[in-house]
Amino acid sequence: MSLVLDSAAQDLLFREARTANTFTDEPVTDEQVQAIYDLVKYGPTSMNNSPLRVTLVRSPEARERLVQHMAEGNQAKTAAAPLVAVLSADNEFHEELPQLFPHFPGAKDMFAGDRSMREGQASLNAALQAAYFIIGVRAAGLAAGPMTGCDLEGIRKEFLDDDHTPLMVVNIGHPGQDAWFPRSPRLEYDQAVTTV
């Protein structure tokens, strides 16, 4: 059985897409980021809780502050990328549930007194949304360089607050010269899928 999505789109989003390590200096516009968000916001999350928050690091001063928290091997590419996004989980996502999950009026109260439960839900669902975000960047014809090689706690203190947990940093732009490492192997179907 074939997929409904055409082969070119499959290549763009998955087969030919890789983590970019260099970028051209062509800017990434606010309009492009808005288009990415307006697409990926429809990806499913539990109870539509949508806890992902995106902090765009554009100014040279903010970029310099961010680079200090990146692992040594990630500093130069983060300094040079046209746009960098810090993706985080909002642990107070329940405050938005009256808007996002209106058919269950008690949803906000269900989470209100249990920070640990909120953090678990926020982490899982924001990670799902981070994956959607990366696919959205690819759908916009851009390349993404997601990284967890950084001091996430330092990034939280620098850019966020105690209610947000940073998940990753994503460099975004048009791929530059020698942007790709060789494709790493993947598990085959029978290695990853079990029927019971």
Side-chain angles (χ1 to χ4, degrees):
M1 179 175 163
S2 63
L3 300 174
V4 173
L5 194 66
D6 71 59
S7 185
Q10 293 172 41
D11 287 344
L12 176 70
L13 300 179
F14 293 100
R15 285 192 292 258
E16 298 299 324
R18 311 236 281 287
T19 296
N21 293 287
T22 67
F23 298 90
T24 69
D25 58 4
E26 185 176 347
V28 177
T29 68
D30 289 336
E31 291 78 16
Q32 287 172 302
V33 177
Q34 172 102 39
I36 291 165
Y37 179 79
D38 285 343
L39 174 64
V40 303
K41 69 182 180 183
Y42 293 108
T45 56
S46 175
M47 295 176 68
N48 198 36
N49 60 24
S50 305
L52 182 71
R53 302 296 179 261
V54 180
T55 303
L56 300 177
V57 182
R58 283 206 182 273
S59 74
E61 298 79 17
R63 184 72 62 95
E64 187 174 315
R65 288 167 34 220
L66 175 62
V67 167
Q68 294 174 13
H69 297 287
M70 301 305 295
E72 185 176 345
N74 292 330
Q75 289 180 349
K77 58 188 171 184
T78 301
L83 179 63
V84 182
V86 174
L87 305 187
S88 64
D90 181 358
N91 297 307
E92 298 295 312
F93 68 86
H94 67 298
E95 296 292 342
E96 309 299 334
L97 288 177
Q99 173 190 343
L100 296 175
F101 208 60
H103 55 281
F104 179 19
K108 175 183 172 182
D109 295 336
M110 186 174 85
F111 289 100
D114 193 338
R115 171 77 180 215
S116 177
M117 180 171 67
R118 288 198 314 270
E119 287 178 349
Q121 286 291 308
S123 177
L124 171 64
N125 288 283
L128 285 173
Q129 289 186 285
Y132 305 147
F133 183 83
I134 292 165
I135 299 299
V137 168
R138 294 171 176 176
L142 299 168
M147 299 167 292
T148 55
C150 54
D151 174 9
L152 290 171
E153 179 59 18
I155 290 171
R156 186 194 62 73
K157 289 177 181 176
E158 191 77 47
F159 294 98
L160 305 169
D161 58 33
D162 289 340
D163 291 330
H164 293 80
T165 303
L167 302 173
M168 67 182 66
V169 174
V170 183
N171 293 333
I172 303 169
H174 293 273
Q177 187 173 8
D178 301 320
W180 320 115
F181 293 147
R183 169 72 79 188
S184 296
R186 299 295 193 266
L187 295 177
E188 295 300 326
Y189 179 85
D190 61 353
Q191 295 175 283
V193 179
T194 303
T195 301
V196 294

